[in-house]
């Protein structure tokens, strides 16, 4: 069952819809936090799209002393930001605005109250000077994490001393590999390096960025002090801002990261036979955290700093600030962004399952009783009338099971062996249906196979009662045979009376009237003995016919019961299992669309 069709171009709207649906489908299956983070991304994207798309929020981020504030001043041609020698200097983000009209709600949403209007050509640029991400001050780190998660474009300001710090690479750059289109890296303070060392330093940094999965991210050497590289950086930012696409690229990257995080929650127990393409959707280690910062709706006031560090944004694996970057970091995150075509197993009602259900429902006992009941009733209807009444004294084997009342009180309950056979059959359905399905969906599929097993006993009871109740109609020939039997009795009686009359006349020595004969045998004797023999013969023939009829009815009852039990299995076992598999397939489809 192929449910996925890769789409060539998927709009942001469609991807957001797909992510929202994937989150809904994953509810109760994947981790609550992952699902909520995906929903937060959808909400945030909705809010950002409603704000000014003519403005691009560009954040200068980096370690303390890297020169963010100096660069902020150099780019804006002002001295708005405090550049200090005591570390850290900047404690709250501030904004420089080029063409501020209409940017208010966006800045409110970003939670940046300090704003300066700057004259210049780059209309639509909102430049943000952030505090240090490696700060000893928790509030600084919270401010950085909050804004890094929501701005449209990120400029990472590194310096020759600390450009290899694990803090920035492991906590920000590598997790943000999917955001490479909305990132720029600058190596500031190059005036402090001898000329020949600048290239070496840039090459080394380029190698580290490649290891982070950011191989094609723009990398510029600048000096806020001398102004070297500043025009190039301005030009690059101008270009990106004038396109007015950074905001949607940012949201697209967020959606892709979130889809990858959802898929990552699916992956841990992926077995060898899971779709190979599915394994390719490797999320970046902490993408979830980066895309998950809670962002207030525009109506909300600027968020309190305490709000910023939700459990989701308390990034795991924080490397201690200042530790050296491990030069042998693994390759950057995989770029594949879709689980690929997902093929889910077909689920059908197997013979083993039907057999186990039939055994547990006592079908063999009922089928046997159907045959016996038919024979019993046949004998009662067509047996030799002289002894027929004896049969009527015995109870009908089918009635004895009290099935007509819909109760199986007289049926033996499922034995331990039957119960465990049914259990195994249910487990087999779950195992077959979940083959190749990654966890935790496989577990959900297995649960689905047993989700309605509590209803099985009652439903099977009803089925057995209904079906077996419909097989007890008496065939018409019973009446014919019964009448014939009475005729033989009548013949016997006539013969006996006739003989008695003859005997009486002989006894009284009266002349015997003419007694007709059949051949040499007198008719009264023929009637008496012939009637008895014929009666017994009819009884024997009827008994043989009843035996065959009973067998046929038992077979018919077994077939009808099997069909109904198959329906029950389809309704109570197969359908919930298929539903869960469809849910998984649709989830994978949505993740593929969201990640495309
Ligand atoms: N030589 C040189 N020094 C620089 C350059 N850029 C910044 N500095 C110096 O580096 C120090 C830190 O600069 P800031 O701009 O305050 O650094 P910051 O990144 O804003 O620091 P925090 O606000 O603490 O995060 C200051 O003394 C600057 O004068 C540069 O390009 N060359
Ligand atoms: Mg500063």
């Amino acid at each position: 069952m192929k449910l996925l069709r890769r789409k060539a171009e998927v709009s942001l709207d469609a991807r957001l819809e797909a992510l929202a649906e994937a989150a809904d489908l994953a509810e109760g299956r994947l981790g609550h936090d992952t699902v909520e983070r995906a929903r937060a991304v959808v909400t945030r994207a909705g809010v950002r799209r409603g704000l000014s798309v003519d403005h691009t929020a560009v954040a200068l981020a980096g370690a303390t002393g890297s020169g963010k504030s100096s660069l902020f001043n150099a780019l804006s041609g002002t001295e708005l930001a405090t550049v200090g020698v005591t570390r850290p200097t900047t404690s709250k983000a501030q904004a420089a605005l080029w063409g501020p009209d209409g940017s208010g709600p966006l800045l409110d949403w970003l939670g940046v109250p300090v704003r300066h209007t700057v004259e210049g050509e780059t209309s639509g640029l909102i430049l943000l000077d952030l505090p240090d991400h490696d700060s000893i001050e928790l509030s600084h780190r919270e401010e950085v994490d909050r804004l890094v998660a929501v701005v449209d474009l990120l400029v990472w300001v590194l310096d020759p001393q600390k450009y290899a710090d694990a803090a920035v690479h492991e906590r920000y750059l590598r997790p943000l590999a999917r955001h490479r289109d909305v990132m720029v890296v600058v190596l500031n303070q190059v005036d402090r390096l001898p000329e020949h060392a600048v290239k070496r330093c840039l090459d080394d940094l380029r190698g580290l960025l490649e290891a982070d999965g950011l191989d094609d991210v723009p990398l510029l050497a600048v000096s806020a002090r001398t102004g070297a590289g500043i025009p190039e950086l301005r030009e690059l930012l101008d270009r990106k801002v004038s396109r007015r696409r950074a905001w949607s690229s940012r949201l697209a990257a967020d959606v892709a990261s979130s889809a990858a995080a959802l898929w990552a929650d699916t992956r841990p127990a992926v077995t060898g036979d899971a779709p190979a393409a599915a394994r390719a959707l490797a999320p970046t280690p902490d993408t979830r955290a980066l895309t998950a910062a809670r962002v207030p709706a525009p109506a909300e006031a600027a968020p309190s700093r305490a709000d910023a560090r939700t459990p989701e944004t308390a990034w795991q694996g924080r490397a201690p600030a200042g530790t050296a970057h491990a030069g042998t970091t693994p390759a950057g995150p995989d770029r594949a962004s879709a689980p690929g075509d997902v093929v889910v197993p077909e689920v059908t009602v197997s013979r083993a399952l039907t057999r186990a259900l039939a055994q547990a429902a006592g079908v063999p006992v009922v089928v046997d009783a159907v045959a016996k009941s038919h024979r019993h009733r046949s004998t009662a209807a067509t047996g030799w009338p002289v002894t027929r009444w004896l049969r009527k004294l015995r109870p009908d084997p089918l009635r004895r099971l009290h099935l007509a009342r819909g109760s199986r009180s007289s049926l033996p309950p499922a034995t331990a062996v039957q119960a465990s056979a049914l259990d195994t059959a249910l487990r087999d359905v779950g195992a077959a249906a979940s083959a190749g399905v990654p966890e935790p969906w496989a577990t959900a599929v297995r649960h689905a196979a047993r989700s309605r097993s509590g209803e099985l006993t009652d439903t099977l009871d009803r089925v057995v009662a209904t079906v077996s109740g419909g097989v007890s109609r008496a065939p018409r020939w019973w009446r014919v045979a019964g009448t014939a039997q009475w005729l033989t009795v009548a013949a016997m009686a006539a013969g006996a009376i006739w003989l008695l009359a003859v005997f009486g006349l002989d006894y009284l020595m009266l002349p015997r009237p003419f007694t007709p004969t059949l051949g040499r045998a007198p008719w009264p004797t023929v009637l008496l003995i012939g009637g008895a023999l014929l009666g017994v013969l009819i009884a024997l023939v009827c008994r043989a016919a009843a035996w065959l009829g009973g067998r046929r009815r038992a077979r018919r009852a077994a077939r009808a019961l099997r069909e109904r039990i198959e329906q029950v299995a389809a309704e109570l076992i197969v359908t919930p299992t298929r539903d869960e598999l469809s849910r998984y397939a649709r989830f994978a489809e949505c993740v593929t669309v969201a990640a495309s």
Side-chain angles (χ1 to χ4, degrees):
M1 179 160 53
K2 293 206 168 187
L3 290 176
L4 290 184
R5 295 281 172 274
R6 199 179 286 265
K7 291 178 185 157
E9 271 295 317
V10 186
S11 68
L12 181 60
D13 279 356
R15 293 174 60 185
L16 280 166
E17 261 175 45
L19 183 63
E21 190 179 344
D24 287 347
L25 292 167
E27 183 79 62
R29 275 75 177 169
L30 303 187
H32 177 73
D33 287 353
T34 317
V35 172
E36 286 310 311
R37 278 192 287 257
R39 289 192 173 131
V41 166
V42 174
T43 309
R44 184 167 72 234
V47 175
R48 176 62 187 94
R49 287 192 308 172
L51 297 168
S52 172
V53 293
D54 292 328
H55 288 88
T56 305
V58 180
L60 297 168
T64 186
S66 60
K68 300 179 293 298
S69 301
S70 305
L71 219 46
F72 180 86
N73 289 341
L75 286 167
S76 60
T78 64
E79 289 300 323
L80 291 168
T82 311
V83 173
V85 283
T86 51
R87 302 266 74 83
T89 305
T90 311
S91 57
K92 286 202 172 153
Q94 61 175 323
L97 315 174
W98 282 259
D101 290 352
S103 64
L106 175 58
L107 281 159
D108 290 345
W109 179 68
L110 290 170
V112 181
V114 186
R115 308 159 192 184
H116 312 279
T117 301
V118 177
E119 296 304 320
E121 288 172 11
T122 323
S123 184
L125 170 63
I126 298 175
L127 190 66
L128 301 169
D129 179 22
L130 302 196
D132 48 328
H133 68 70
D134 56 348
S135 190
I136 49 167
E137 297 288 338
L138 175 65
S139 62
H140 291 198
R141 300 199 301 265
E142 286 174 345
E143 176 91 329
V144 174
D145 289 356
R146 187 178 66 77
L147 282 163
V148 162
V150 291
V151 294
D152 301 322
L153 197 68
L154 281 157
V155 177
W156 290 99
V157 183
L158 309 179
D159 64 73
Q161 281 82 41
K162 294 199 285 181
Y163 71 84
D165 270 7
V168 69
H169 288 275
E170 288 179 7
R171 289 203 55 231
Y172 296 96
L173 296 178
R174 203 172 310 161
L176 282 167
R178 281 198 171 78
H179 293 68
R180 62 177 75 80
D181 291 342
V182 289
M183 279 217 283
V184 173
V185 177
V186 299
L187 181 65
N188 188 32
Q189 304 186 18
V190 288
D191 59 289
R192 299 173 72 181
L193 290 171
E195 207 167 309
H196 66 274
V198 174
K199 186 173 171 338
R200 227 178 43 218
C201 206
L202 281 173
D203 287 347
D204 190 33
L205 177 52
R206 174 59 79 191
L208 296 175
L209 293 174
E210 279 173 12
D212 290 334
L214 294 166
D215 35 336
D216 46 6
V217 76
L219 171 61
L220 278 79
V222 301
S223 167
R225 176 159 295 174
T226 67
I230 300 296
E232 288 82 358
L233 178 58
R234 270 305 299 263
E235 197 190 312
L236 179 69
L237 294 182
D238 287 354
R239 241 188 355 258
K240 289 190 178 277
V241 170
S242 63
R243 271 193 228 128
R244 293 177 173 21
R245 301 298 312 161
W247 67 272
S248 67
S249 300
R250 163 77 212 224
L251 296 182
D254 286 353
V255 173
S257 295
S258 201
L262 281 176
W263 193 251
D265 251 27
T266 298
R267 283 184 64 237
V270 171
T271 52
D273 45 357
R279 290 190 289 279
L281 186 61
T284 54
D286 265 321
T287 329
R288 285 170 270 185
L290 278 169
T291 55
R294 180 184 169 277
V295 178
E300 290 181 74
S304 74
R305 299 303 181 261
D307 271 0
R309 185 163 285 266
T310 61
E312 290 84 5
T313 55
W315 302 358
Q316 292 125 34
R318 166 181 271 275
T323 51
H325 185 282
T328 53
T329 46
D334 197 321
R335 288 190 182 195
S337 58
D341 282 1
V342 166
V343 180
V344 296
E346 276 292 349
V347 190
T348 50
V349 180
S350 69
R351 277 181 180 210
L353 177 63
T354 314
R355 203 178 313 123
L357 286 169
Q359 295 281 351
V363 166
V365 176
V366 174
V367 168
D368 190 48
V370 165
K372 283 188 179 148
S373 162
H374 184 79
R375 286 167 206 155
H376 170 89
R377 287 165 53 237
S378 175
T379 309
T382 65
W384 197 39
V386 180
T387 55
R388 190 190 289 184
W389 60 275
L390 279 172
R391 172 65 65 167
K392 287 189 176 161
L393 291 180
R394 280 158 52 184
D396 183 322
L398 196 54
R399 290 231 174 95
R400 216 163 40 187
L401 297 177
H402 301 299
L403 295 171
R405 276 177 275 149
S407 138
R408 59 179 300 185
S409 57
S410 300
L411 264 180
T415 63
V417 174
Q418 287 166 344
S420 98
L422 177 57
D423 200 55
T424 306
L426 287 175
R427 227 192 339 261
D428 287 349
V429 171
S434 61
V437 175
E439 291 290 354
W441 288 98
T443 303
V445 169
R446 285 194 292 272
H447 282 162
R450 325 177 64 103
S451 59
R452 297 186 66 185
S453 59
E455 298 169 51
L456 278 174
T457 311
D458 285 351
T459 313
L460 289 173
D461 278 357
R462 270 199 304 278
V463 163
V464 166
T466 318
V467 174
S468 55
V471 293
S472 56
R473 214 158 14 95
R476 267 190 222 132
W477 67 265
W478 282 4
R479 183 168 292 203
V480 177
T483 312
Q485 284 288 34
W486 279 115
L487 287 176
T488 64
V489 171
M492 274 173 65
I497 292 166
W498 197 341
L499 283 175
L500 275 176
V502 170
F503 178 75
L505 288 173
D506 278 352
Y507 187 75
L508 297 173
M509 290 188 206
L510 290 171
R512 191 197 295 178
F514 170 72
T515 308
T517 59
L518 181 65
R520 292 178 60 195
W523 263 107
T525 315
V526 168
L527 284 175
L528 180 66
I529 296 175
L533 288 177
L534 196 62
V536 172
L537 186 69
I538 291 174
L540 287 176
V541 170
C542 287
R543 189 169 280 225
W547 189 82
L548 288 174
R551 227 170 60 151
R552 203 172 50 243
R553 271 160 197 262
R555 239 183 280 133
R556 210 184 302 151
R559 204 180 316 121
L561 281 168
R562 195 178 59 236
E563 280 166 13
R564 287 289 292 118
I565 284 174
E566 278 171 358
Q567 286 170 10
V568 170
E571 186 191 330
L572 298 185
I573 300 163
V574 170
T575 302
T577 312
R578 276 194 193 143
D579 288 351
E580 191 62 31
L581 278 172
S582 301
R583 188 180 178 117
Y584 160 64
R586 178 70 191 151
F587 166 80
E589 187 176 11
C590 289
V591 168
T592 302
V593 172
S596 58

